[in-house]
């Protein structure tokens, strides 16, 4: 066990984690030249397309140092703030972390956030400066930033170029020398932490785990501590690029177990595996409970695909434990699910994965956040959906979630970023110049304001330089109103939203204008209205498609034309009473892109 090292790679998005992982795999000859490709651990098609890591990936490497064989278990982690739960799980199953910082960009917001997460788990931090071969690299300046942040000695900071492979051997040596071996004992009862799982249509559910204590062997009778379900370990093994079966996995090692589990809810990420005959007394303290930030409804395009959608979301939840869902129904869209996501990118990825992996086409409603509504009777209700609000006369006040946002940017964009945050109802809490060029701003802001387009706007006004990270700090009272959209006098509940009173008029007007362009014309006039309670605050009219009924009256008396037009008018009026307006999927998506 003293020759095992478990470590993860943490960094801000695009600082070169997956490329560095490629070089480590090459240096330890884990993969043959034929298997090697760029970002080999980003196995999902989506990850390669977008150039981001979405899932943490575990892989085992063998490394010879000073005549001894070492087993290195590497977990590559995502960098985007929406996938920070994946990072927390990777950190919980490691003893050390490589903190990678881009030499051309320096320390960013997510670097600091991930570092604090690793320090709270007492991980050994190995700082690495990447991309030193670039012309714009500021190696000395970035080294000073890291020394200030961590408090390490300057010579402890390693320099590397993941693209060319410079410095890879120094990193492998540092991992062996600095990262402590796992604690635990082979003689204790089995305790293994499940840190991920995946659904295989032939083998059932495959769970990935790290053994904290004890030994697990093929054919053992095991049980999952929290669910209490018992299984036989049909196959166990280690994770390389493919799964490699083994007869036993000992303390400190990382592996997988296949035991023919068919139903998704039986496997919970963070659960503990133990033996049936000699169980452990307590479960391993797993990961922090994930709190979804953004809620949206997912509905099948065809109503009879509801059960297929449920099965697809359950299988996807195995692979992404931060997704939460519960059934709900809507007048406009029928039966579907209310899903909780960690952010808008997370929502987009889930929608895309449902389509690619399970061939499920879904309609997504307007995303919103969770509010606490206090009624006049003194009750506190958690509301995820505007349609779940009590009547306006019963509401005493509404509290909305607030976040503490940390923005690091070049000081030349300071004014533009400040204006953006103030427009989003932000309150400046602090500013700190990291260097004369770079400033760190801390704001308290309502989560609802950053859910839509804050990240995109921040990137565009700072030309991609600003980095952004946030965590929730609680709820505060706000003057919110429910904005309804009416089509032909009928309320479309999927387009309703809770919004601050000052922004309601502007938002309602823009929404009506957008819907006017997107909803196809019918044989009758359609009124598109935005309303707060019974008060209409904006209106647009979609004109009817009309047949030219007077075309046959060539010349002749005006009364003949008048008679035909009156007849047509009556028909249109009758049609309007029975007519149905279908809202296309683009209309729901357009609300997200309102600028």
């Amino acid at each position: 066990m003293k020759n095992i090292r478990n470590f993860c790679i943490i960094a801000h998005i695009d600082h070169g984690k997956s490329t560095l992982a490629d070089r480590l795999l090459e240096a330890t000859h884990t993969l043959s030249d034929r298997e090697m490709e760029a970002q080999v651990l980003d196995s999902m098609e989506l990850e390669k397309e977008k150039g981001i890591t979405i899932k943490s990936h575990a892989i085992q490497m063998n490394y010879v140092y000073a005549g001894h064989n070492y087993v290195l278990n590497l977990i590559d982690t995502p960098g985007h703030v929406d996938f920070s739960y994946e990072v927390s799980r990777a950190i919980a199953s490691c003893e050390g972390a490589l903190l990678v910082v881009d030499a051309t960009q320096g320390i960013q917001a997510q670097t600091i956030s991930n570092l604090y997460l690793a320090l709270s788990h007492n991980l050994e931090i190995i700082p690495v400066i990447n991309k030193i071969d670039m012309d714009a690299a500021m190696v000395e300046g970035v080294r000073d930033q890291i020394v200030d942040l961590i408090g390490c000695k300057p010579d402890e900071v390693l320099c590397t170029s993941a693209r060319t492979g410079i410095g890879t051997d120094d990193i492998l040596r540092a991992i062996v020398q600095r990262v402590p071996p796992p604690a635990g004992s082979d003689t204790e009862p089995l305790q293994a932490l499940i840190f991920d799982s995946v659904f295989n249509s032939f083998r059932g559910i495959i769970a990935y785990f790290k053994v904290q204590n004890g030994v697990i062997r093929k054919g053992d009778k095991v049980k999952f501590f929290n669910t209490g379900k018992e299984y036989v370990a049909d196959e166990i093994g280690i994770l390389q690029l493919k799964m490699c079966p083994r007869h036993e996995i000992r303390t400190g090692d990382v592996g997988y177990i296949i035991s023919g589990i068919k139903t998704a809810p039986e496997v919970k990420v963070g659960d503990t595996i133990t033996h049936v005959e000699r169980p452990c007394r307590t479960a391993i303290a797993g990961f922090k409970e994930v709190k979804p930030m953004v809620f949206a409804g997912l509905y099948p395009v065809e109503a009879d695909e509801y059960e297929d959608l449920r099965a697809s979301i359950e299988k996807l939840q195995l692979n992404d434990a931060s997704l939460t869902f519960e059934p709900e129904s809507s007048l406009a869209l029928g039966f579907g699910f209310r899903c909780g996501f960690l952010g808008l990118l997370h929502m987009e990825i889930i929608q895309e994965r449902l389509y690619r992996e399970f061939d499920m086409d879904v309609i997504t409603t307007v995303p919103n956040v969770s509010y606490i509504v206090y009624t006049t009777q003194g009750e506190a209700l958690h509301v995820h959906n505007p349609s779940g609000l009590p009547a306006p006369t019963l509401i005493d006040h509404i509290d909305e979630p607030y976040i503490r946002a940390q923005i690091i940017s070049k000081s030349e964009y300071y004014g533009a970023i400040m204006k953006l945050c103030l427009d989003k109802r932000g309150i400046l809490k602090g500013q700190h110049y990291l260097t004369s060029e770079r400033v760190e701003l801390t704001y308290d802001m309502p989560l609802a304001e950053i859910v839509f387009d804050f990240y995109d706007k921040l990137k565009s006004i700072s030309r991609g330089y600003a980095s952004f990270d946030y965590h929730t700090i609680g709820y505060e009272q706000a003057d919110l109103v429910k904005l309804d959209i009416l089509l032909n006098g009928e309320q479309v509940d999927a387009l309703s939203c809770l919004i601050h009173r000052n922004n309601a008029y502007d938002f309602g007007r823009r929404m009506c204008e957008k819907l006017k362009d997107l909803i196809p014309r019918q044989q009758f006039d359609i009124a598109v209205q935005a309303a707060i309670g019974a008060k209409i605050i904006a209106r647009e009219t979609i004109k009817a498609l009309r047949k030219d009924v007077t075309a046959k009256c060539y010349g002749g008396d005006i009364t003949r034309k008048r008679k035909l037009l009156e007849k047509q008018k009556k028909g249109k009026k009758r049609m309007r009473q029975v007519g149905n307006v279908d809202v296309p999927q683009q209309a729901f998506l357009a609300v997200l892109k309102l600028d």
Side-chain angles (χ1 to χ4, degrees), residues 175 195 213 280 301 311 361 458 554 595:
I175 290 164
F195 65 85
N213 283 307
C280 56
V301 175
D361 231 344
L458 179 68
Y554 193 75
D595 197 27

Side-chain angles (χ1 to χ4, degrees), residues 247-306:
H247 279 292
E248 66 173 26
I249 294 178
R250 308 186 76 83
T251 304
D253 224 336
V254 173
Y256 69 90
I257 178 169
I258 300 175
S259 49
I261 305 169
K262 293 286 182 286
T263 53
E266 288 180 29
V267 179
K268 291 267 186 292
V269 167
D271 203 348
T272 303
I273 304 174
T274 187
H275 280 131
V276 173
E277 279 128 32
R278 191 173 162 229
C280 56
R281 287 196 194 89
T282 55
I284 302 167
F287 322 105
K288 62 178 195 305
E289 263 303 301
V290 59
K291 287 197 193 77
M293 298 285 173
V294 176
F295 294 86
L298 291 186
Y299 292 86
V301 175
E302 302 292 330
D304 54 358
E305 288 179 352
Y306 175 72

Side-chain angles (χ1 to χ4, degrees), residues 197-487:
S197 55
V198 58
F199 183 82
N200 182 309
S201 43
F202 302 106
R203 310 292 305 267
I205 291 159
I206 304 167
Y208 300 155
F209 61 85
K210 180 201 175 191
V211 184
Q212 300 277 61
N213 283 307
V215 179
I216 183 169
R217 294 181 177 84
K218 186 178 175 179
D220 281 357
K221 275 193 131 183
V222 295
K223 74 169 181 180
F224 289 3
F225 201 91
N226 291 339
T227 57
K229 295 273 173 63
E230 298 182 4
Y231 308 99
V232 174
D234 296 332
E235 184 185 306
I236 58 168
I238 58 163
L239 295 159
Q240 289 191 336
L241 194 58
K242 297 184 177 70
M243 295 185 288
C244 307
R246 294 284 184 270
H247 279 292
E248 66 173 26
I249 294 178
R250 308 186 76 83
T251 304
D253 224 336
V254 173
Y256 69 90
I257 178 169
I258 300 175
S259 49
I261 305 169
K262 293 286 182 286
T263 53
E266 288 180 29
V267 179
K268 291 267 186 292
V269 167
D271 203 348
T272 303
I273 304 174
T274 187
H275 280 131
V276 173
E277 279 128 32
R278 191 173 162 229
C280 56
R281 287 196 194 89
T282 55
I284 302 167
F287 322 105
K288 62 178 195 305
E289 263 303 301
V290 59
K291 287 197 193 77
M293 298 285 173
V294 176
F295 294 86
L298 291 186
Y299 292 86
V301 175
E302 302 292 330
D304 54 358
E305 288 179 352
Y306 175 72
E307 283 305 326
D308 297 346
L309 180 60
R310 180 198 292 274
S312 303
I313 295 178
E314 278 179 357
K315 287 172 188 172
L316 196 54
Q317 197 181 30
L318 276 174
N319 201 235
D320 185 350
S322 53
L323 170 67
T324 61
F325 71 98
E326 57 186 37
E328 74 161 2
S329 62
S330 148
L331 292 171
L333 300 167
F335 289 101
F337 296 96
R338 188 97 200 138
C339 297
F341 308 96
L342 297 184
L344 272 194
L345 177 69
H346 187 213
M347 179 176 124
E348 198 182 304
I349 295 292
I350 293 292
Q351 208 178 334
E352 191 66 32
R353 283 183 73 181
L354 279 171
Y355 179 65
R356 291 192 187 196
E357 294 172 30
F358 304 101
D359 205 21
M360 286 304 307
D361 231 344
V362 292
I363 293 172
T364 315
T365 62
V366 183
N368 52 24
V369 298
S370 162
Y371 297 94
I372 301 178
V373 179
Y374 291 93
T375 62
T376 46
Q377 278 94 20
E379 291 178 294
L381 309 171
H382 279 269
V383 175
H384 302 322
N385 193 346
S387 61
L389 272 181
T393 50
L394 298 176
I395 297 174
D396 181 45
H397 65 275
I398 302 176
D399 284 6
E400 64 174 339
Y402 262 69
I403 56 147
R404 173 79 37 96
Q406 188 183 30
I407 300 165
I408 296 178
S409 167
K410 284 194 164 182
S411 35
E412 63 192 88
Y413 307 118
Y414 179 81
I417 291 172
M418 242 174 148
K419 183 181 181 308
L420 173 69
C421 293
L422 290 171
D423 288 347
K424 299 283 183 186
R425 297 192 281 137
I427 302 157
L428 182 66
K429 285 292 173 187
Q431 60 189 44
H432 170 54
Y433 276 87
L434 301 167
T435 64
S436 59
E437 290 282 302
R438 300 172 73 235
V439 64
E440 177 189 345
L441 296 169
T442 310
Y443 270 93
D444 283 358
M445 303 167 80
L447 178 61
E449 294 287 347
I450 68 152
V451 156
F452 283 128
D453 53 1
F454 180 79
Y455 192 67
D456 296 345
K457 282 186 174 169
L458 179 68
K459 282 290 179 194
S460 47
I461 61 174
S462 66
R463 301 194 186 162
Y465 275 110
S467 63
F468 167 68
D469 185 51
Y470 65 88
H471 59 272
T472 49
I473 52 169
Y475 285 78
E476 286 188 29
Q477 191 173 330
D479 183 14
L480 300 171
V481 290
K482 183 186 174 196
L483 182 72
D484 291 320
I485 298 296
L486 309 173
L487 289 181

Side-chain angles (χ1 to χ4, degrees), residues 105-176:
Q105 294 186 356
I107 285 171
Q108 303 287 322
Q110 201 59 25
T111 319
I112 297 172
S113 162
N114 287 340
L115 171 70
Y116 288 153
L117 200 58
L119 290 174
S120 67
H121 282 77
N122 297 322
L123 263 62
E124 179 62 41
I125 307 290
I126 301 174
V128 176
I129 299 177
N130 190 17
K131 306 189 188 179
I132 57 167
D133 60 318
M134 303 283 276
D135 294 339
M138 313 168 288
V139 179
E140 290 311 313
V142 174
R143 182 182 277 130
D144 292 344
Q145 287 177 22
I146 293 173
V147 170
D148 285 350
L149 182 67
I150 303 178
C152 61
K153 297 191 181 90
D155 55 350
E156 287 176 8
V157 181
L158 305 175
C159 293
T160 180
S161 163
R163 194 176 53 152
T164 59
I166 303 166
T168 310
D169 290 334
D170 295 344
I171 292 174
L172 287 165
R173 279 197 295 275
I175 290 164
V176 172

Side-chain angles (χ1 to χ4, degrees), residues 537-590:
I537 59 168
R539 172 184 169 130
E540 293 285 338
T541 307
I542 301 170
K543 285 294 181 194
L545 285 170
R546 305 188 58 155
K547 183 182 171 190
D548 188 359
V549 287
T550 60
K552 60 187 176 187
C553 301
Y554 193 75
D557 189 6
I558 186 69
T559 54
R560 286 179 63 204
K561 290 184 182 175
R562 187 82 274 139
K563 188 171 143 194
L564 285 168
L565 288 169
E566 287 298 327
K567 191 175 170 190
Q568 185 189 32
K569 197 170 170 185
K570 275 184 191 156
K572 296 276 182 210
K573 198 172 176 185
R574 204 162 49 242
M575 224 178 221
R576 185 175 176 181
Q577 285 163 356
V578 295
N580 253 340
V581 183
D582 283 337
V583 184
Q585 164 74 341
Q586 283 92 352
F588 295 110
L589 295 177

